[in-house]
């Protein structure tokens, strides 16, 4: 029972440390680590959830009040957690490798961007942007549009298996990106590479600043997504998905309706991305096709693989680790290196000031994703937090 | 619509399409040979291809810095660069197989594919890292040789530059050499035997691992040659410029029938021609509504359609499913 005071202590100490050193990346990482510790510690359930709730609902916004950049990081983490959970359904549960997942995110983002900005005036006649409260309606519209896109993609590719399916979804993702880049003529739908701006934001309740507002909204959606995921996993639908993943022929013989279940996996996965796309476009105020490249799809895949395919806590932790690596560790390392350079530090007789200017550690996202994917596949294909069923199967 | 213009540019577009097609064919060979032997999409092949282009540019810049670029006769320079690119890419392909694919050979099918995607991303940034530290730039320009830019006027509306001829001749030589290796040598027989049935081949005394490495070496070398030719033809390269040609070449391999070597050549040529015509004619035919950018959509839609309706490709190789 030593873990009870330990858990409380870790959260309190790390929160205090963040309050004292609001600019330190390491301290903020410590805070995130303490949440993970609480999640894994052997403590009464009620204490666990109240600690986590206190940290996420109270401490995090307070930290964000002192350093708004961390709130931005937390919001990004929330967005990617939802994306990873969505892809987790398609890849982890149903075993359909989707390499163009970000396309659904794009569909959601563009659906609000077009109608929530004056841009729609070009397509339809007048009256745009829609009033801010329509944003809430579009959360559902984005969900529906993305789910429909998922079904439309799913229908033709249902006959494909494994790696062919992966390549086709990759091609589909590229098609969506090229369309977003070029549909500024003959009719201007997407404004091409220039992107769409300004996108309206909803009025916030209780006069919350937008940083906090989007943080809480992302958190709310993530909680909803986690609950839906949990319920799905143990439902007959989730079981059917896992049966398809393990052996399609056997699943069909057992009476699993393959077509319907695969379409449902695509639609469910896509819908989470669609909702987050709507939130993303409102948060950013500006979107262009650059945000929806193959790189993003692989980034989300790396999150799912790192955490463990088919595992909900895995997807959450994977998304957090990868986002924090990209947003904080790589950038922090870049800044630190620059400081050393400017201070004229030498290492083993080599002056850091002589480092080539094109060497920017912050730009090596692909290397991070690549290393994660290869190392996980070779050494731990079941992920950091394997799904229970998969753990037994792969001998974790 | 200006019919005369449409007909007038036809021969030039045809030529451009053939050049592009040979390039795709060379890259597609790497995908198709590996698929034939392991039934696995070597996703990192697009980076193996672009590494060839980078090795080539480094050799050329090296020659330039010691004054040999102008000093040596130009065919010697080209052959040196081509050989260097092939060696670099071939060895890299063998190394990648050794590190990232061999340990996963008996894993479920998606596992090595994900590993290959990881390698692809890793290599892109490794090239960038290396060139940033070495040259402080990762967008590199191929040094030009004056003779390569000479143009012959064939007809009034069509001319061909020496470098385009180099690409066509180089590609044809490579394809011919590959044909000889695969069909006329003992090693080629072994490669075909392993592709047919690994277990039986190993019972016949063939060292399967060695043959798989050799397949990666040959496929990688073809990719490296394509990389050098790509650099010579288009001039500007960066670590990420292998991805789209790689994906197109994969499309070409599937189009021709994956695992089938003549199929890769046919598929490459067909895709190259289709793309060249789409790039030139789409905008003219639709009055500017759809620009040349839609050639990418055309290629990917083609890929999706073939996989759905004729997964065995044009030349009809039967695709086996591994459980």
């Amino acid at each position: 029972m030593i873990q009870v005071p330990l858990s409380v202590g870790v959260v309190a100490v790390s929160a205090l440390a963040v309050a004292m050193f609001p600019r330190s990346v390491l301290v903020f990482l410590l805070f995130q680590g303490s949440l993970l510790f609480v999640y894994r510690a052997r403590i009464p359930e009620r204490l666990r959830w109240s600690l986590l709730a206190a940290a996420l609902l109270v401490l995090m916004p307070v930290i964000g009040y002192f350093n708004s950049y961390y709130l931005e990081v937390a919001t990004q983490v929330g967005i990617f957690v939802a994306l990873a959970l969505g892809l987790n359904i398609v890849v982890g549960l149903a075993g359909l490798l989707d390499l163009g997942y970000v396309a659904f995110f794009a569909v959601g983002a563009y659906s609000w961007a077009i109608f929530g900005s004056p841009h729609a005036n070009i397509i339809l006649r007048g009256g745009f942007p829609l009033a801010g409260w329509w944003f809430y309606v579009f959360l559902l519209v984005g969900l529906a549009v993305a789910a429909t896109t998922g079904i439309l993609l799913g229908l033709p590719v249902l006959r494909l298996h494994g790696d062919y399916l992966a390549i086709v979804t990759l091609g589909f993702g590229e098609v969506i990106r090229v369309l977003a880049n070029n549909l500024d003529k003959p009719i201007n739908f997407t404004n091409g590479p220039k992107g769409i701006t300004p996108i309206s934001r909803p009025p916030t309740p209780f006069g919350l600043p937008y940083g906090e507002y989007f943080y809480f909204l992302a958190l709310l959606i993530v909680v909803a997504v986690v609950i839906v995921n949990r319920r799905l996993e143990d439902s007959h639908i989730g079981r059917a998905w896992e049966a398809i993943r393990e052996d399609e022929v056997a699943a069909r013989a057992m009476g699993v309706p393959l077509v319907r279940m695969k379409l449902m996996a695509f639609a469910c996965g896509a819908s989470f991305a669609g909702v987050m796309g709507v939130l993303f476009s409102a948060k950013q105020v500006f979107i262009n096709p650059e945000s929806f490249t193959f790189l993003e799809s692989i980034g989300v895949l790396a999150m799912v693989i790192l955490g463990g395919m088919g595992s909900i806590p895995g997807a959450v932790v994977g998304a957090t680790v990868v986002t924090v690596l990209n947003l904080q560790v790589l950038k922090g390392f870049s800044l630190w290196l620059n400081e050393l350079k400017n201070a004229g530090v030498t290492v083993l007789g080599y002056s850091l000031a002589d480092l080539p200017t094109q060497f920017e550690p912050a730009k090596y996202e692909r290397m991070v994703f690549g290393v994660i994917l290869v190392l996980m596949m070779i050494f731990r294909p079941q992920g950091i937090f394997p799904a229970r069923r998969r753990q037994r199967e792969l001998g974790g | 619509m200006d019919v005369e213009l449409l007909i007038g540019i036809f021969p030039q577009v045809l030529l451009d399409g053939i050049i592009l097609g040979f390039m795709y064919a060379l890259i597609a060979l790497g995908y198709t040979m590996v698929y034939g032997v392991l039934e696995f999409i070597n996703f990192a092949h697009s980076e193996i291809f672009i590494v060839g282009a980078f090795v080539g540019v480094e050799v050329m810049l090296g020659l330039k810095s010691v004054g040999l670029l102008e000093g040596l006769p130009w065919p010697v320079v080209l052959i040196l660069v081509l050989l260097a690119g092939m060696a670099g890419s071939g060895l890299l392909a063998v190394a990648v197989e050794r590190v990232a694919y061999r340990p996963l050979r008996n894993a479920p099918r998606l596992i090595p594919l994900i590993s290959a995607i990881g390698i692809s991303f890793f290599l892109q940034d490794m090239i960038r890292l290396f060139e940033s530290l070495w040259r402080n730039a990762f967008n590199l320009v191929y040094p030009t040789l004056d003779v390569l830019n000479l143009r012959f006027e064939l007809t009034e509306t069509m001319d061909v530059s020496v470098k385009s001829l180099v690409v066509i001749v180089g590609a044809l030589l490579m394809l011919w050499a590959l044909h000889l290796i695969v069909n006329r040598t003992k090693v080629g027989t072994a490669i075909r035997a392993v592709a047919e049935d690994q277990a039986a081949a190993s019972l016949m005394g063939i060292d399967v691992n060695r043959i798989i490495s050799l397949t990666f070496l040959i496929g990688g070398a073809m990719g490296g040659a394509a990389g050098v030719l790509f650099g010579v033809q288009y001039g500007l390269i960066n670590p990420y410029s292998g991805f789209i040609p790689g994906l197109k070449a994969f499309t070409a391999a599937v189009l021709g029938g994956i695992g089938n070597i003549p199929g890769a050549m046919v598929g490459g040529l067909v895709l190259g021609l289709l793309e060249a015509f789409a790039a030139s004619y789409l905008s003219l035919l639709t009055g500017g509504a759809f620009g040349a950018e839609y050639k990418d959509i055309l290629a990917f839609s083609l890929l999706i359609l073939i996989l759905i309706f004729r997964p065995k490709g044009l030349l009809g190789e039967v695709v086996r499913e591994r459980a």
Side-chain angles (χ1 to χ4, degrees):
Chain A
M1 272 294 124
I2 178 133
Q3 295 199 349
V4 172
L6 209 57
S7 302
V8 180
V10 167
V11 173
V13 166
S14 59
L16 202 67
V18 177
M20 286 170 70
F21 306 99
R23 305 250 154 239
S24 164
V25 173
L26 284 179
V27 171
F28 188 58
L29 290 180
L30 181 76
F31 175 71
Q32 291 166 333
S34 72
L35 294 187
L36 184 60
F37 178 79
V38 171
Y39 180 78
R40 300 286 286 181
R42 278 192 210 134
I43 52 176
E45 287 299 299
R46 197 174 290 173
L47 177 65
R48 185 199 318 281
W49 293 113
S50 31
L51 271 177
L52 286 177
L56 289 175
L57 290 177
V58 181
L59 291 178
M60 192 56 230
V62 171
I63 292 170
Y65 179 76
F66 290 108
N67 187 345
S68 59
Y69 179 65
Y70 287 158
L71 208 58
E72 167 71 20
V73 173
T75 313
Q76 292 268 10
V77 167
I79 291 177
F80 280 113
V81 166
L83 290 185
L85 285 168
L87 186 62
N88 186 43
I89 288 186
V90 185
V91 176
L93 291 184
L96 308 163
L97 184 55
D98 185 349
L99 297 180
Y101 185 65
V102 81
F104 305 123
F105 187 52
V107 167
Y110 270 99
S111 63
W112 173 239
I114 290 171
F115 294 102
S117 73
H119 185 77
N121 290 331
I122 303 172
I123 308 166
L124 305 166
R125 228 171 304 141
F128 295 97
L130 293 173
W133 60 267
W134 275 93
F135 170 75
Y136 298 102
V137 179
F138 265 77
L139 285 174
L140 295 179
V141 173
L143 182 143
V145 172
T148 314
T149 317
I151 291 175
L152 287 182
L153 165 70
L155 273 176
V157 304
L158 278 176
R159 287 170 50 187
L160 303 172
H161 308 261
D163 35 14
Y164 272 13
L165 178 80
I167 294 285
V168 166
T169 52
L170 194 168
F172 170 75
E174 285 297 298
V175 166
I176 293 278
R177 190 182 57 82
V178 176
L179 280 181
N181 247 327
N182 291 298
L183 269 186
D184 48 353
K185 57 183 188 289
I187 303 171
N188 189 348
F189 282 110
T190 64
N191 210 21
K194 288 193 291 290
I196 298 177
T197 197
I199 302 164
S200 340
R201 291 168 152 187
T204 59
F206 323 116
L208 270 178
Y210 275 109
E212 273 80 358
Y213 170 74
F214 282 115
Y215 168 74
F216 280 120
L217 192 60
L219 189 63
L220 188 72
I221 296 178
V222 165
V223 170
V225 168
V226 169
I227 292 172
V228 171
N229 248 299
R230 266 262 145 79
R231 304 291 298 152
L232 273 176
E233 198 181 21
D234 290 328
S235 70
H236 72 281
I237 300 172
R239 297 279 161 89
W241 283 336
E242 286 185 285
I244 294 174
R245 179 188 74 201
E246 294 309 324
D247 191 334
E248 245 185 72
V249 179
R252 186 156 53 184
M254 289 295 142
V256 173
L258 284 188
V259 173
R260 198 174 347 135
M261 285 303 157
K262 282 188 176 179
L263 285 183
M264 211 177 302
F266 269 115
C268 278
S271 61
F272 295 160
V275 175
M276 272 307 180
V278 173
L279 183 144
F280 177 77
S281 68
K283 180 175 96 62
Q284 299 297 104
V285 187
F286 161 76
I287 61 164
N288 74 352
E290 284 300 298
S291 314
F292 311 106
T293 57
F294 180 57
L295 180 66
E296 303 293 321
S297 292
I298 296 301
V300 180
L301 180 68
M303 295 165 187
V304 174
I305 301 279
L306 182 69
M309 282 184 273
S311 148
I312 295 171
V316 175
V317 171
T320 311
V321 170
V322 173
T323 314
V324 167
L325 261 177
N326 279 336
L327 284 181
Q328 291 199 271
V329 178
L330 283 181
K331 277 206 184 110
F333 183 65
S334 255
L335 290 174
W336 181 65
L337 204 66
N338 267 332
E339 276 170 28
L340 292 185
K341 263 190 199 174
N342 294 336
V345 176
T346 56
V347 179
L348 302 171
Y350 179 81
S351 169
L352 286 182
D354 293 341
L355 269 179
T357 47
Q358 286 290 330
F359 171 65
E360 299 156 276
K363 296 280 169 66
Y364 290 88
E365 281 176 325
R366 288 160 194 263
M367 196 177 285
V368 172
F369 297 160
V371 169
I372 290 176
L373 291 179
V374 177
L375 292 185
M376 293 307 288
M377 285 303 101
I378 294 179
F379 297 109
R380 207 176 155 85
Q382 72 273 36
I384 308 179
F385 294 121
R388 254 170 292 143
R389 226 164 280 164
R390 192 151 269 234
Q391 194 171 12
R392 277 186 227 125
E393 176 192 323
L394 286 164
Chain B
M1 201 184 301
D2 190 348
V3 179
E4 214 155 281
L5 176 70
L6 289 182
I7 297 169
I9 60 172
F10 184 84
Q12 188 69 49
V13 175
L14 189 70
L15 184 69
D16 291 345
I18 290 174
I19 294 170
L20 193 62
F22 273 119
M23 206 97 71
Y24 287 154
L26 273 181
I27 310 172
L29 284 172
Y31 286 105
T32 226
M33 286 183 71
V34 167
Y35 199 93
V37 171
L38 289 179
E39 281 168 43
F40 151 72
I41 300 172
N42 182 11
F43 207 87
H45 191 64
S46 50
E47 276 58 53
I48 288 164
F49 150 74
I50 209 67
V51 161
F54 272 90
V55 172
V57 81
E58 284 298 332
V59 171
M60 271 185 138
L61 290 172
L63 287 175
K64 196 178 184 180
S65 66
V66 294
L68 280 176
L69 193 64
E70 306 293 329
L72 291 172
W74 66 270
V76 177
V77 171
L78 277 181
I79 289 172
L80 269 180
V81 172
L82 211 52
L83 286 179
M86 289 172 74
S89 292
L91 292 177
L92 178 69
V94 172
V96 164
E97 191 268 334
R98 206 49 222 268
V99 173
Y101 305 155
R102 191 171 296 180
L104 304 173
R105 205 171 287 159
N106 295 319
R109 202 170 174 161
L110 287 183
I111 303 258
L113 179 67
I114 294 172
S115 176
I117 295 171
I119 286 287
S120 156
F121 269 55
F122 174 75
L123 285 178
Q124 288 177 0
D125 266 359
M126 272 314 279
I127 304 173
R128 175 175 177 156
L129 179 66
F130 176 81
E131 293 293 352
S132 301
L133 291 176
W134 172 243
R135 295 210 177 267
N136 197 14
F138 54 86
N139 292 300
L140 297 182
V141 181
Y142 260 68
T144 50
L145 297 168
D146 291 337
V147 61
L148 288 182
N149 289 325
L150 285 180
R151 303 184 83 89
F152 301 113
E153 209 165 280
L154 298 181
T155 66
E156 257 172 59
T157 50
M158 174 180 171
D159 57 8
V160 56
S161 63
V162 174
K163 62 182 175 192
S164 305
L165 289 178
V166 166
V167 171
I168 295 178
V169 173
L172 281 175
L173 277 178
M174 291 295 148
L175 295 176
W176 179 67
L178 181 77
H179 169 76
L180 287 189
I181 293 177
V182 172
N183 290 320
R184 296 285 154 78
T185 65
K186 221 171 166 182
V187 167
T189 315
I191 292 180
R192 282 180 289 137
V194 172
E196 193 81 24
D197 188 333
Q198 272 190 32
S202 86
L203 288 175
M204 296 298 132
I206 295 173
D207 183 347
V208 172
N209 275 336
R210 216 176 57 106
I211 292 300
I212 288 175
S213 287
L214 193 75
T215 308
F216 272 87
L217 182 75
I218 297 174
M222 292 289 149
V228 171
L229 296 177
F230 179 85
V232 169
Q233 173 73 19
Y234 300 110
L236 188 71
I237 52 170
N238 79 46
Y240 313 114
S241 49
F243 179 69
I244 292 288
L247 204 56
K248 300 273 181 65
F250 177 75
T251 306
V254 173
L255 179 63
I258 195 148
N260 179 327
I261 291 177
M265 302 180 199
V266 174
L269 278 174
V270 171
L271 187 66
L273 286 170
L274 268 178
E275 253 196 72
F277 279 104
S280 312
Y281 282 87
L282 257 182
S283 157
L284 287 173
L285 289 177
T286 58
F290 296 100
E293 301 83 4
Y294 282 89
K295 71 180 198 299
D296 287 356
I297 292 196
L298 183 84
F300 297 135
S301 315
L302 187 68
L303 172 68
I304 296 176
L305 290 179
I306 307 163
L307 284 180
I308 293 167
F309 293 109
R310 197 179 162 83
K312 60 187 178 173
L314 289 179
L315 295 199
E317 179 100 332
V318 178
V319 180
R320 281 160 297 169
E321 272 288 335
R322 197 174 78 177

